[in-house]
């Protein structure tokens, strides 16, 4: 190698190293400010969601402790405590309808792209809820089954396939998931389609039970063969835990409910809150999410789950605030139909 080319190679390597250092520097500065605060108070619904996120964040950001607070009615808790003059929480992970309520009370801090995203290499496409939330977890609907019980070629390929006679008395789902799944499709296909689809599933002998744990047991025992209204990532998480389940994408279009991360207005540990939110949007944070079975399914994400839908040509529609609120409107009536409480 000539001296000229050797010098050019050294220059290119040095410049590349410089870009990497510049990209890393803002995050390290944010970490240092967060360490001075010491703690971030993270509010969400259940330990199965919150505990893995607490652990991964603390592993990736030594010196910042996560105080995990669990409450199945967290949005109401935030509103009530704020009205009482208490601001105890920094970040809230919740579905879009719940966050919309909190935002309507003026209790969420907006993300500013030039301050909260651009310096850390985070694309603006992760923003949702008009800039008040970061798209964190996508619950994309699929069907689940026990391997060996159903051959791959037998699996339904469309939602209409579930209405074929061969699936009579073989379908099962839990009431909340089934209601939200059909309501999500109803946002895309129309209310009348959704109600008629729910009625036809009921006539097919769809078993609706209170809890997803019961659904899993019925499928594993072979009492029912196909789990409907399942989230693809939840089935993957059960597989990681050693449970013999598999999932299949189904289309031609499917709905992805969104769970977003918001920083609360008046957060007592603002820099630690910003670190928690921003770090999970970086490449390192996204990799940590994937290790826990949370995949991004946005276009171009290239994630394992997204690829499976793309390979089948299935379109994923990501939920936004308008769609989320419409889903909530449809949910209760559809739930009553599948439970047989309403025709």
């Amino acid at each position: 190698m000539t001296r000229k080319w050797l010098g050019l190679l050294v220059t290119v390597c040095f410049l590349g190293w410089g870009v990497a250092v510049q990209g890393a520097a803002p995050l390290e500065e944010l970490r240092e400010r967060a360490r001075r605060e010491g703690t971030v108070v993270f509010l969400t619904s259940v330990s199965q969601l919150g505990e893995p996120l607490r652990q991964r964040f603390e592993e990736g950001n030594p010196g910042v402790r996560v105080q995990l607070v669990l409450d199945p009615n967290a949005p109401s808790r935030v509103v009530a405590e704020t009205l009482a003059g208490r601001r105890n929480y920094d970040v809230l992970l919740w579905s879009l309808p719940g966050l919309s309520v909190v935002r309507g009370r003026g209790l969420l801090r907006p993300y500013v792209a030039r301050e909260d995203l651009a310096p850390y290499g985070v694309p603006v496409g992760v923003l949702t809820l008009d800039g008040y939330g970061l798209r964190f977890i996508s619950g994309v609907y699929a069907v689940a089954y026990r391997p060996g019980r159903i051959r791959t070629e037998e699996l339904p390929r469309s939602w209409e396939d579930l209405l074929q006679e061969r699936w009579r008395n073989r379908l099962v789902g839990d009431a909340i998931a089934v209601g939200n799944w059909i309501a999500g499709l109803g946002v895309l296909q129309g209310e009348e389609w959704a109600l008629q689809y729910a009625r036809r599933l009921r006539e097919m002998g769809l078993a609706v039970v209170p809890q997803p744990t019961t659904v899993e047991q019925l499928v594993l025992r072979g009492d029912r063969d196909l789990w409907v209204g399942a989230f693809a990532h939840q089935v993957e998480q059960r597989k990681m835990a050693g449970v013999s389940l598999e999932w299949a994408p189904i289309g031609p279009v499917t709905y992805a409910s969104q769970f977003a991360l918001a920083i609360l207005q008046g957060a007592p540990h603002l820099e630690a809150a910003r670190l928690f939110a921003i770090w999970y949007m970086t490449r390192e944070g996204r990799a940590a999410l994937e290790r826990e079975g949370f995949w991004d399914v946005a276009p171009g994400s290239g994630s394992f789950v997204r690829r499976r839908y793309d390979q089948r040509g299935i379109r994923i529609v990501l939920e936004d605030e308008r769609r989320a609120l419409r889903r909530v409107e449809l949910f209760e009536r559809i739930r009553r139909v599948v439970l047989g409480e309403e025709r």
Side-chain angles (χ1 to χ4, degrees):
M1 182 181 292
T2 67
R3 184 172 299 177
K4 175 182 176 182
W5 284 108
L6 180 60
L8 180 60
L9 178 61
V10 170
T11 300
V12 169
C13 291
F14 179 78
L15 288 174
W17 176 84
V19 169
V21 170
Q22 287 177 349
L27 189 62
E28 192 52 47
E29 290 169 3
L30 178 57
R31 277 197 183 104
E32 188 53 41
R33 295 194 298 274
R35 288 186 187 112
R36 288 197 287 270
E37 293 179 339
T39 301
V40 57
V41 184
F42 172 34
L43 179 61
T44 192
S45 54
V46 294
S47 61
Q48 297 94 317
L49 180 61
E51 187 58 29
L53 299 178
R54 180 195 67 77
Q55 292 179 5
R56 292 297 184 184
F57 178 81
E58 289 185 347
E59 289 170 2
N61 300 274
V64 184
R65 185 176 69 88
V66 177
Q67 180 183 338
L68 178 61
V69 180
L70 303 174
D71 190 332
N73 299 301
S76 298
R77 178 174 182 161
V78 168
V79 172
E81 293 193 12
T82 303
L83 289 174
R86 299 193 301 273
R87 294 184 184 267
N88 299 321
Y89 315 110
D90 297 309
V91 289
L92 172 61
L93 177 61
W94 210 261
S95 61
L96 292 189
L99 288 178
S100 181
V101 171
V102 180
R103 184 182 71 136
R105 295 297 193 106
L107 302 182
L108 298 185
R109 172 193 180 274
Y111 292 94
V112 181
R114 66 178 180 275
E115 298 174 6
D116 297 322
L117 304 182
Y120 311 98
V122 177
V124 296
V126 301
L127 288 172
T128 187
L129 210 67
D130 291 334
Y132 284 83
L134 297 180
R135 187 167 40 78
F136 204 74
I137 297 170
S138 297
V140 59
Y141 289 104
V143 293
Y145 60 99
R146 193 183 78 186
R149 184 80 179 178
I150 301 175
R151 297 194 304 271
T152 303
E153 59 271 21
E154 294 177 319
L155 287 167
R157 299 183 67 84
S158 73
W159 301 117
E160 294 294 331
D161 286 350
L162 294 175
L163 303 175
Q164 293 175 355
E165 186 61 27
R166 63 196 180 96
W167 295 113
R168 182 174 294 278
N169 298 323
R170 298 174 68 188
L171 308 178
V172 63
D174 71 272
I176 292 177
V178 168
N180 277 309
W181 155 53
I182 300 175
L185 293 179
V187 172
L188 307 180
Q189 311 270 34
E191 180 176 357
E192 199 50 49
W193 179 94
L195 290 169
Q196 182 62 22
Y197 188 71
R199 293 184 190 106
R200 293 170 70 189
L201 282 174
R202 181 72 184 172
E203 292 165 2
M204 287 290 295
L206 167 67
V208 181
V209 299
Q211 299 294 333
T213 51
T214 306
V215 179
E216 181 178 297
Q217 291 164 6
L218 290 171
V219 171
L220 292 176
R221 288 203 308 256
D223 296 333
R224 291 277 166 157
D225 289 325
L226 209 59
W227 180 348
V228 295
F231 283 148
H233 76 268
Q234 289 179 326
V235 181
E236 281 297 324
Q237 289 169 337
R238 298 303 291 148
K239 288 168 60 180
M240 291 175 179
V243 179
S244 182
L245 285 172
E246 188 51 85
W247 64 274
I250 189 167
V253 62
T254 193
Y255 190 84
S257 294
Q258 296 295 297
F259 300 82
L261 190 69
I263 296 176
L264 293 166
Q265 196 69 262
H269 311 95
L270 179 57
E271 295 306 298
R274 292 180 66 235
L275 178 64
F276 189 90
I278 292 165
W279 182 77
Y280 269 119
M281 296 297 107
T282 66
R283 184 174 299 178
E284 180 185 3
R286 281 292 184 190
L289 284 175
E290 290 192 3
R291 288 196 295 274
E292 294 297 335
F294 298 115
W295 284 272
D296 185 10
V297 298
S301 64
S303 70
F304 159 70
V305 171
R306 179 76 202 201
R307 288 198 304 273
R308 288 192 61 177
Y309 282 87
D310 287 346
Q311 287 164 1
R312 288 276 307 278
I314 296 171
R315 183 167 64 95
I316 299 175
V317 177
L318 298 180
E319 187 172 67
D320 56 20
E321 185 178 16
R322 179 187 61 80
R323 293 187 181 113
L325 296 176
R326 179 59 178 148
R327 172 173 59 82
V328 170
E329 289 177 0
L330 293 174
F331 166 79
E332 185 54 33
R333 190 173 177 196
I334 288 170
R335 187 192 68 83
R336 291 198 303 268
V337 170
V338 296
L339 288 175
E341 297 172 358
E342 178 184 325
R343 273 296 300 166

